[in-house]
Amino acid sequence: DRGSMLVMRDVKERMDPSIGERAITKVQDFKDDPVLFKYCQDPAVLAYVTSFTGPNVKAVHTMLINKPPDPGSMSSRHPLHQDLYYFPFRPADKIVCSWTAMERADRENGCLVVIPGSHKQPLLSHGYPEWEGGVNKMYHGIQNLTEETLDKRVHLVMEAGDTVFFHPLLIHGSGSNRTNHFRKAIACHYASAECHYIDVEGTVQ
């Protein structure tokens, strides 16, 4: 029983049922799964999370990231984006993501790419990139990033169990998985229970 979980599939392989797990890019909103949600409740994770959000905290978004081998279209890429684009609540400084590698993540299988210090700038305009191989649903990216900004990219090579915590305005994404194996990770976005919803009409959201 998937409950309220949302299973997302690769744009190039979702129509072929014989592919099985290779078509699945991620599973979102696993809050009703008692095994997966234990990650979000882990005391070691929460110790860091609450240093950003304060003690009164909620899990607001959960993801089990599968990142299958790329089908040859480069559709396993995730464009550079800011997570705040998806969250209609503020303040941004009271929101944080915990992202844990479930196996080694490197440039070959599409590790995280971040632009250090980019969380200090405002939310930028997002849209679907015009990639020849197609873009997965909800894989929005920042439009018109400058070469100067792109030159600051850092690839986060991580071993299984390594965890990174980052601000919702941090510009980040990931490359394609050029291996024959999955690159699995688990993540949870947290926010202070004191955060408030905003009207996004007329904004870049």
Side-chain angles (χ1 to χ4, degrees):
D1 181 12
R2 296 206 315 249
S4 61
M5 290 190 289
L6 175 64
V7 178
M8 303 189 71
R9 302 178 186 275
D10 186 272
V11 67
K12 290 298 181 183
E13 299 196 316
R14 62 185 177 183
M15 303 306 292
D16 186 350
S18 67
I19 293 174
E21 187 186 352
R22 290 177 69 99
I24 298 173
T25 59
K26 63 176 69 173
V27 176
Q28 299 199 110
D29 301 324
F30 58 69
K31 62 183 181 302
D32 294 324
D33 186 290
V35 175
L36 292 175
F37 196 67
K38 282 184 179 179
Y39 169 78
C40 304
Q41 299 170 307
D42 187 282
V45 172
L46 289 173
Y48 286 97
V49 166
T50 54
S51 70
F52 296 99
T53 62
N56 194 5
V57 62
K58 292 183 176 182
V60 294
H61 182 239
T62 52
M63 291 187 298
L64 184 66
I65 304 163
N66 199 39
K67 202 167 186 76
D70 193 89
S73 60
M74 301 287 283
S75 54
S76 63
R77 292 177 292 177
H78 198 138
L80 292 170
H81 64 283
Q82 296 163 299
D83 288 339
L84 192 64
Y85 178 74
Y86 301 100
F87 299 144
F89 40 84
R90 302 292 187 275
D93 287 342
K94 293 296 183 179
I95 304 169
V96 66
C97 178
S98 172
W99 195 104
T100 299
M102 297 175 68
E103 52 203 331
R104 179 178 168 85
D106 54 35
R107 296 188 68 164
E108 284 297 305
N109 63 11
C111 65
L112 282 175
V113 180
V114 303
I115 299 180
S118 56
H119 66 288
K120 297 177 182 179
Q121 58 186 299
L123 183 62
L124 303 174
S125 178
H126 287 60
Y128 283 115
E130 296 179 1
W131 287 345
E132 184 177 342
V135 183
N136 284 316
K137 186 177 181 180
M138 300 303 290
Y139 278 31
H140 299 99
I142 297 170
Q143 299 176 323
N144 305 315
L145 281 174
T146 65
E147 287 299 322
E148 181 181 5
T149 298
L150 293 174
D151 286 344
K152 298 176 182 177
R153 288 173 293 184
V154 173
H155 293 81
L156 301 186
V157 176
M158 302 170 69
E159 300 295 338
D162 286 350
T163 302
V164 61
F165 299 87
F166 54 87
H167 192 281
L169 284 171
L170 181 76
I171 297 175
H172 67 287
S174 64
S176 63
N177 183 356
R178 296 172 288 171
T179 73
N180 293 320
H181 308 284
F182 296 90
R183 191 228 67 193
K184 299 181 188 293
I186 190 168
C188 182
H189 283 89
Y190 301 85
S192 166
E194 278 76 46
C195 283
H196 60 276
Y197 283 92
I198 64 166
D199 183 357
V200 299
E201 185 176 354
T203 71
V204 294
Q205 289 182 265

